[in-house]
Amino acid sequence: CRLFCKPSALAQHLVRSLGRSLVLWGGCWLWPNWPQVQMLWQLLQLPKPEPAVAREFLQLRDAGLVALDWLLGPRRAGSDSGSGGLSLVLLLIPNAAGKVTGGLLQLGLQALERGFVPVIFNRRGHNGCPLTTPCLQPFGDPGDLREVVTYLHCRHPAVPLVAVSEGSGSGLLLAYLGESGSSSRLAAAACISPIFRGRDWFEARMPWLYEWPLLLHLKQGLSRYAGSLAKVVDVDRLLGSRSLRELEEALFCRTKSRPASWEAYWERNEPLRDADEAAVPLLCLCSADDPVRGPVGCSLPLELFRSSPYFFLLLTSRGGHCGFPQRGPGHSWAHEAVLEFFGAMVEFLQAEDRRKGLPQLR
């Protein structure tokens, strides 16, 4: 692994913490050169048994609904989150298609065992969440996420809140961090195999092995609401889309009330449009052989990680897309690295508060 970041006290603390973690020095899967196989396994394999969840619906300002799935299950005796015995609320953000993968569930279960309080954020119309308004969430519009974070902060006011996103869902988290700045209410955040440049990603297209399953998954969900969506979009064009770009354009650009150009859409929805304003420690785990994100040279904003004191990039040569396999199929060292990162960041922030004489969270 190579760590790209701007030198700082925070970076030194992170290097020491990750250096103590055995997960970054462990063995790997038997198929390290097959990123496509890793990707398929990550998408299709679910934990056994599947975790129990308690679903909660949150009504938004415009009467839309999002769903929060709280993971339930046993915790290890005497477990804590690695941050001085203080639990953390962990917000899990699926990819842009709303697909809750086995990898995301596995991360939630590991966090649960270590004392975290994990909750999955399901967007409007995704993963069984009813679509009560003819309005879906654009790729980089963090409005709904902002209301969810505010709700979680009000529900757990004395517990630090952290967030992790997977794949294309990172566009939402990156946009939120940039727009919110120091008012994000997050103690730390992480992105696993993020998509940094949304427009380039849609235009370049992904391998069909990844794009077609996600496209079919989205169409299946949208077809349930064809009647209500017909008021605002061309449903025939929407369900006849042959790529994720065509579907994105049909949903958000070729609308009946407020049509917009493809260029104007991305001016408002690029994930890194306000990256300079981000003020929350963010760890991005990326692999050079990621078949979904694209080549390193044109898909990774390395200069951002060298100039911002809050952005950290952990880059490995192999790992695929959201794979990072270890100790056999279904295990990912990225999950352990993310949880280690959250513990290290909260530990650092608490030490800074003590040094400045600020009151501690109880």
Side-chain angles (χ1 to χ4, degrees):
C1 295
R2 298 176 60 194
L3 183 65
F4 293 83
C5 61
K6 182 178 181 179
S8 65
L10 184 63
Q12 291 176 3
H13 181 78
L14 176 60
V15 169
R16 287 194 299 268
S17 177
L18 293 181
R20 294 192 301 264
S21 177
L22 297 178
V23 68
L24 297 182
W25 308 99
C28 61
W29 195 10
L30 296 177
W31 303 331
N33 294 319
W34 294 0
Q36 300 283 6
V37 175
Q38 298 175 21
M39 178 180 65
L40 281 177
W41 189 275
Q42 185 268 347
L43 280 174
L44 302 176
Q45 183 70 12
L46 294 177
K48 296 180 181 179
E50 292 187 41
V53 299
R55 170 156 289 194
E56 181 179 17
F57 291 105
L58 180 65
Q59 187 174 43
L60 307 174
R61 293 179 181 177
D62 66 348
L65 284 181
V66 295
L68 299 176
D69 289 337
W70 299 86
L71 269 64
L72 308 175
R75 302 189 184 189
R76 258 183 235 153
S79 65
D80 60 64
S81 61
S83 54
L86 186 66
S87 295
L88 305 177
V89 175
L90 174 61
L91 180 61
L92 300 159
I93 302 174
N95 59 38
K99 176 70 174 177
V100 179
T101 64
L104 196 69
L105 289 175
Q106 193 67 46
L107 173 57
L109 289 175
Q110 286 184 236
L112 187 66
E113 289 183 353
R114 293 183 57 170
F116 288 73
V117 182
V119 55
I120 300 173
F121 166 55
N122 299 288
R123 310 185 199 199
R124 306 172 184 225
H126 284 186
N127 197 24
C129 178
L131 187 65
T132 56
T133 61
C135 176
L136 291 164
Q137 191 172 19
F139 186 83
D141 180 3
D144 292 356
L145 180 60
R146 185 179 299 109
E147 292 192 53
V148 167
V149 170
T150 301
Y151 168 72
L152 294 177
H153 178 74
C154 293
R155 178 167 173 171
H156 299 276
V159 180
L161 174 62
V162 295
V164 60
S165 58
E166 189 179 61
S168 53
S170 299
L172 192 62
L173 182 55
L174 291 168
Y176 172 74
L177 294 175
E179 280 197 10
S180 302
S182 59
S183 303
S184 69
R185 300 181 185 271
L186 295 178
C191 298
I192 301 177
S193 298
I195 303 300
F196 293 102
R197 297 184 170 98
R199 180 178 177 179
D200 292 346
W201 181 67
F202 273 94
E203 292 177 352
R205 299 193 60 172
M206 297 176 293
W208 65 270
L209 201 61
Y210 186 78
E211 183 170 25
W212 276 96
L214 289 185
L215 188 62
L216 293 174
H217 177 78
L218 279 169
K219 287 183 180 181
Q220 183 181 19
L222 292 171
S223 64
R224 299 174 54 195
Y225 309 108
S228 58
L229 289 175
K231 303 174 185 177
V232 292
V233 300
D234 185 341
V235 174
D236 291 336
R237 178 190 290 270
L238 178 67
L239 299 180
S241 302
R242 295 185 176 182
S243 68
L244 289 177
R245 172 179 175 171
E246 290 183 16
L247 186 138
E248 195 81 2
E249 282 190 287
L251 271 177
F252 304 111
C253 298
R254 303 178 184 274
T255 58
K256 296 180 180 179
S257 57
R258 295 182 179 179
S261 66
W262 185 243
E263 292 74 16
Y265 174 74
W266 285 111
E267 286 179 4
R268 300 188 303 269
N269 288 282
E270 271 295 352
L272 296 179
R273 61 187 181 276
D274 297 312
D276 293 340
E277 302 297 323
V280 171
L282 170 71
L283 177 67
C284 296
L285 284 86
C286 297
S287 172
D289 68 349
D290 188 333
V292 173
R293 188 198 62 244
V296 171
C298 59
S299 62
L300 291 183
L302 296 179
E303 188 56 37
L304 175 63
F305 293 97
R306 294 190 178 104
S307 60
S308 173
Y310 296 103
F311 282 73
F312 304 90
L313 171 64
L314 198 60
L315 180 63
T316 181
S317 59
R318 297 171 181 174
H321 184 72
C322 302
F324 306 100
Q326 183 195 34
R327 299 190 307 274
H331 298 273
S332 172
W333 62 259
H335 300 161
E336 188 68 27
V338 165
L339 298 179
E340 182 73 29
F341 169 75
F342 288 148
M345 290 301 99
V346 172
E347 181 183 47
F348 179 85
L349 295 175
Q350 289 179 335
E352 286 294 295
D353 289 345
R354 287 193 295 268
R355 186 178 63 83
K356 296 176 182 178
L358 298 176
Q360 296 294 300
L361 290 174
R362 293 184 179 274

